[in-house]
Amino acid sequence: DAGVIQSPRHEVTEMGQEVTLRCKPISGHDYLFWYRQTMMRGLELLIYFNNNVPIDDSGMPEDRFSAKMPNASFSTLKIQPSEPRDSAVYFCASSPRTGWEPQHFGDGTRLSIL
Amino acid sequence: AQKVTQAQTEISVVEKEDVTLDCVYETRDTTYYLFWYKQPPSGELVFLIRRNSFDEQNEISGRYSWNFQKSTSSFNFTITASQVVDSAVYFCALRAYNTDKLIFGTGTRLQVFP
């Protein structure tokens, strides 16, 4: 079975540019989560969806960040405009439901904003 | 409030040594779930094991074993006869029954030297 697929794996861009990160969850999973990982703050939950509907976006740091899930097989996390402090590894994870079910993570996108 | 504490920031061992990674959690819920994830140097997050609060039976999987003790609110992870391939950051995580969010500890970096 295919796991969670994220693209791109690496992104290097200049400050001020728009960045779009993509995620394809595991088929049949109802929940999708976006995380950010940095040395200083560890793993942070940014936002999560249930059946394509955003449930909690309290972790989204600023209005520069937005996330969408137009259908069950695709989600995007967008940063506009990007800033150097946005440099981090961004993970997408999915699970069939919460509680007992573990979240399955993608390989992450390593984002560097110059 | 829920919290996961991994007090060991970094552990270094020599190959074939046994090593235990500590995880202490806090929750007021009677039903909850505990997880361990591994993050190797390549960066992906890999699910290792899950436990629910009603199952205190220890688990062994090859060289890996997990000790869940509700009396001390701990879910410790032991690697027997460690190998270089075990070098990674290991995360413990907690989810309460009535929430979707996974609360991660700060991780323990394990370095196994040949």
Side-chain angles (χ1 to χ4, degrees):
Chain A
D1 289 341
V4 176
I5 300 172
Q6 291 187 246
S7 64
R9 288 298 311 277
H10 303 273
E11 175 92 10
V12 180
T13 191
E14 292 189 347
M15 177 178 169
Q17 297 297 307
E18 178 178 290
V19 174
T20 299
L21 310 181
R22 298 172 176 79
C23 175
K24 176 179 170 57
I26 294 173
S27 177
H29 283 194
D30 298 330
Y31 284 82
L32 184 139
F33 304 82
W34 281 102
Y35 291 87
R36 179 172 68 177
Q37 185 179 36
T38 61
M39 289 294 293
M40 291 298 295
R41 301 174 69 92
L43 271 164
E44 302 174 272
L45 177 64
L46 301 177
I47 185 172
Y48 74 95
F49 297 82
N50 180 21
N51 291 321
N52 313 337
V53 177
I55 302 301
D56 186 341
D57 65 355
S58 60
M60 296 285 262
E62 300 172 30
D63 291 345
R64 298 183 296 104
F65 285 69
S66 63
K68 293 182 180 180
M69 192 165 186
N71 57 63
S73 59
F74 184 65
S75 177
T76 59
L77 178 67
K78 188 171 295 186
I79 308 173
Q80 167 63 19
S82 58
E83 297 183 3
R85 59 192 167 126
D86 301 330
S87 298
V89 180
Y90 291 81
F91 286 100
C92 175
S94 71
S95 70
R97 52 188 172 276
T98 58
W100 171 243
E101 294 293 341
Q103 294 177 15
H104 296 272
F105 285 77
D107 289 342
T109 294
R110 184 173 296 275
L111 177 63
S112 297
I113 308 297
L114 306 177
Chain B
Q2 297 177 59
K3 186 178 179 182
V4 175
T5 301
Q6 295 181 258
Q8 304 152 307
T9 305
E10 187 162 340
I11 301 174
S12 295
V13 299
V14 177
E15 223 174 6
K16 298 184 182 178
E17 282 187 40
D18 298 346
V19 58
T20 295
L21 310 182
D22 297 332
C23 172
V24 175
Y25 61 92
E26 295 176 30
T27 180
R28 294 181 180 177
D29 297 280
T30 55
T31 302
Y32 52 88
Y33 309 96
L34 296 163
F35 304 84
W36 274 96
Y37 284 84
K38 174 182 180 179
Q39 187 173 37
S42 49
E44 69 274 23
L45 275 158
V46 180
F47 162 68
L48 293 178
I49 193 171
R50 61 183 173 182
R51 261 291 174 267
N52 72 58
S53 54
F54 299 108
D55 181 6
E56 287 195 73
Q57 187 174 8
N58 293 332
E59 178 145 348
I60 298 175
S61 175
R63 297 182 298 105
Y64 295 173
S65 62
W66 291 268
N67 181 266
F68 175 34
Q69 290 193 336
K70 289 179 72 172
S71 61
T72 56
S73 297
S74 65
F75 186 39
N76 297 337
F77 175 26
T78 297
I79 302 174
T80 303
S82 60
Q83 299 178 2
V84 173
V85 293
D86 296 326
S87 297
V89 180
Y90 291 86
F91 292 93
C92 181
L94 164 71
R95 183 194 288 135
Y97 174 73
N98 60 347
T99 68
D100 298 325
K101 296 183 181 180
L102 204 52
I103 308 299
F104 282 91
T106 51
T108 297
R109 180 178 299 277
L110 173 65
Q111 293 196 71
V112 182
F113 294 98

